[in-house]
Amino acid sequence: MKWYEKQIDEVEKATGANIEEGISDKEARKRLKKFGYNMLDEGEKPSAFFVFLGQFKDFMVLVLLAATLISGLLGEYIDAITIMIIVLLNGILGFVQERKAEKSLTALKELSAPQMTVFRDGEWTRVLSREVVVGDLVKVTSGDRVGADLRLIETNGLQIEESSLTGESVPVQKDDRPIGGQDLAIGDQENMAFMGTMATQGSGLGIVVATGMKTEMGKIAHLLQSTETLATPLQRRLEQLGKVLIAVALLLTALVVVFGVLQGHDVYTMFLAGVSLAVAAIPEGLPAIVTVALALGVQRMIKRKAIVRKLPAVETLGCASVICSDKTGTLTQNKMTVTHLWSGGRVWNVTGTGYEPSGEFYSGQTKINPRKERTLEQLVTYGVLCNNAAIQEKSVKDGLLKKKKSTYVLDGDPTEGALLVSGMKAGISKESLTKDYKLIQEFPFESTRKMMSVVVEDTNGQRFVVTKGAPDVILANSKSITWNGRTENLTNQRKQEVEGAITSLASQALRTIAIAYRPLATNQPLHQVEIERDFTFVGVQGMIDPPRPEVAQSIKECRQAGIKTVMITGDHVVTAKAIAKQLSILPENGKVLDGNTLSRISVKQLEEIVDDVYVYARVSPEHKLKIVKALQAKGHIVAMTGDGVNDAPAIKAANIGIAMGITGTDVAKESSSLILSDDNFATIKAAIKEGRNIYENIRKFIRYMLASNVGEILVMLFAMMLGMPLPLVAIQILWINLVTDGLPAMALGLDQPEDDVMKRKPRSPNEGVFARGLGWKIISRGFMIGIVTLAAFAISLQANPDDLTRAQTIAFVTLVMAQLIHVFDCRSEHSVFHRNPFENIYLVFAVLSSILLMLVVIYYPPLQTIFHTTAVTPREWLLILGFAAIPTVALGGVHLFTRSEKKAS
């Protein structure tokens, strides 16, 4: 269908569109069911069955299965069946982990999916692009990504960049007129907008004519079907580490087998034990567990209003050393609030923030009733009268119990909203004024006039004009003033007093709006030029976009974490400095740079002073890229926030690009690695804290798994070197691997951050996995776990030389308990005594379940035969627990002692 040739009414008819009302939600769902979602095919994903089979493709598992088959053929049926069951359980655990990661990432894509503005049931609404259907009427504005193929029916300076389809980076000027003639190339179809392209300027309306694989983008979908590899730098490093660990594990396992055979042990027994040890020792599940940890962390971030679009950002967050934050809406509430009022030489303060109409009026320290102060009442009344905004009370669900709470939403200009709320706090609403005043005519605000006026008539039939606007303009057009409840001539002295009051309010970073009025004759012609003069000056309302209440504490925590916060704003220097001081962003000797200075200096010159600058004022989005480059040149890891089309280069260039979820354009979101769904600075801090915690949790289970694996290998190696019997049989080794490596390791990924996680300096991006003494902790704990297990085995064997099964059971239980006690030590960078073990309830339950599984195989008679175990006596339990606690308690005690010694010195 050549949509570009069609008249608008033909397009409307062919697509079943309705320009007047839009299609209904019911009709949209029907079309969605019939034609499918507006999505490009991603290619076939492996079925759950093949994902499950993939768990058994590891070479060592295949060797173990082959050995098990031989074991069965030799008549060792019980051992063979049990090993098969353990391998199957391991496969199920790996499958669950992989599917969990996949589902988390799918949910992540859903949340960060682009949206479109469509006209349905007579109202404009935002829906996910994938839910848009043919016949939908769509609004496209600058910064939007077009989510379907559209035939444009109205354009207003609309330009669309179509390089994803045409290769041409120059935006195309769009039109809504039909184009006749021959077949046109995509680039020449000026009345069409295509899926995947970006609106760079202007706005327009269009009817959806194609979705999904039927779009122009769908025709070349084979170029887009390769899914993005979400492997992070950490995952790649761990994969390389895994290969080294596999080589080391195989070498040590081979030594165990060789020493065992040389000591006279049966070759088949040693081979099976060796393969089992290799399977248990090789951390083949490490990348999968890292993926799960990242995915779980991402889910937690989503709950904290931070949507991660690119997994590497999770790691980079922990390295952030500078946050460059927008002021409006991020550091502040983006809700203008009147805080000071001036009239006739008096100043009043009003409490309360945002659009909630609750607050008190004060004259100095004295609380007053604004309805009993005639001048004040007049000032707020006129602010409500000359106003087009509306404050609506909405009921929203809040919290886990989904209780309903009221919230107040502005419909209109923020400045007018502030004046409206100021009046409502005094008990004066628009609704109440309609009884006393009738609107006759309005003269809207214009930037040339810098004022807005309304002509109203009171109940006595008296007409007058009420005006609000820039104080200097209103003052220049006034001839009288309200002073001490009376009207008097505006003398030069009074003018100077008004100007002084305005300057005083402005110095507090308040935006000032002046209010005036003028009585009119009943038959006076209502010409704007004639009536907007000779005012009586009533007073001034001073307003500010107040800081978010939680931001100051977040900035303080960031400073403690070694992260510098930089404010970037388009506001004037005075306003920027005032807010920066309120939030403790600007220190005593901190510099403030304005846009003019930024334009004049080079990136190289900026590098020399960038560490001393804390506030950038009157900055355009183009300057942000310069700031990012200068900070990065100084070695900083930069998080940069933005919301506009022009912010995209800086967001993309930053180490962590952060887009605003509410005010952000699709271009900004596409360029970002993190989206704030609440546009709140505190969310950045929470995301950095979560990012640090995710990395620390990954280090925790690397420490736990590798120390446990080192212990398992060493107990076997030392026993063979000393000419001792096998401390563990193959099936016990596999059971230990299943019981200790599964749930406890996963539970570590859910651990809460340590108290000092935001008191440490940012991590270097080049930091190795084993940095900060992790390698030493793994080797020392692993060595100790191996030694105590071997010691318990030797003592039991010496006490009962003819009962090898008992000694092996003692070694088996000691090794399991040593690992399960050690897992609590892994929760802290300091020692096991540093944290409450019951903080992580998931870990407590994981450890209890592992202990229960261990008790079953040593006390349940049918399983004793299979696992070569015997019941352990209470006296033996004292021996086991005493030895099992040594690696954690002894080394933790040494760390605690040396730490207190350092503090004392």
Side-chain angles (χ1 to χ4, degrees), residues 485-501:
R486 298 190 308 274
T487 301
E488 58 181 62
N489 289 334
L490 184 62
T491 60
N492 284 333
Q493 183 188 341
R494 291 291 187 230
K495 259 190 180 178
Q496 287 173 5
E497 289 181 66
V498 173
E499 286 167 352

Side-chain angles (χ1 to χ4, degrees), residues 667-720:
V667 175
K669 291 174 187 175
E670 285 289 312
S671 306
S672 71
S673 45
L674 193 73
I675 298 173
L676 306 183
S677 62
D678 60 354
D679 292 10
N680 189 346
F681 179 87
T683 304
I684 304 175
K685 187 270 300 182
I688 288 175
K689 185 176 182 179
E690 194 60 61
R692 287 188 175 192
N693 189 45
I694 290 168
Y695 184 80
E696 292 304 314
N697 285 352
I698 290 169
R699 278 172 54 91
K700 287 172 191 175
F701 58 67
I702 289 173
R703 172 181 167 184
Y704 170 65
M705 288 178 71
L706 295 189
S708 298
N709 292 356
V710 166
E712 289 168 21
I713 291 175
L714 292 184
V715 70
M716 296 291 282
L717 181 61
F718 291 158
M720 295 303 96

Side-chain angles (χ1 to χ4, degrees), residues 15 31 87 119 148 231 266 284 393 395 426 502 532 644 878 905:
T15 58
R31 293 184 189 187
V87 170
F119 195 54
D266 176 57
E284 72 284 338
E393 185 178 1
S395 184
I502 293 166
E532 286 188 335
L878 291 174
S905 60

Side-chain angles (χ1 to χ4, degrees), residues 116-185:
M116 294 177 74
T117 305
V118 300
F119 195 54
R120 287 187 184 169
D121 292 316
E123 288 184 356
W124 289 104
T125 182
R126 295 280 285 175
V127 300
L128 291 175
S129 291
R130 70 193 198 104
E131 293 175 0
V132 168
V133 296
V134 171
D136 261 325
L137 184 63
V138 174
K139 185 191 290 182
V140 179
T141 56
S142 176
D144 286 349
R145 184 173 77 169
V146 181
D149 284 3
L150 314 176
R151 166 64 164 89
L152 297 169
I153 62 170
E154 187 182 304
T155 58
N156 182 22
L158 180 63
Q159 290 186 10
I160 295 180
E161 190 260 298
E162 298 177 339
S163 60
S164 57
L165 283 172
T166 64
E168 289 291 328
S169 58
V170 179
V172 178
Q173 186 75 45
K174 291 296 180 179
D175 203 321
D176 56 17
R177 290 171 295 184
I179 307 170
Q182 65 288 355
D183 290 339
L184 294 180

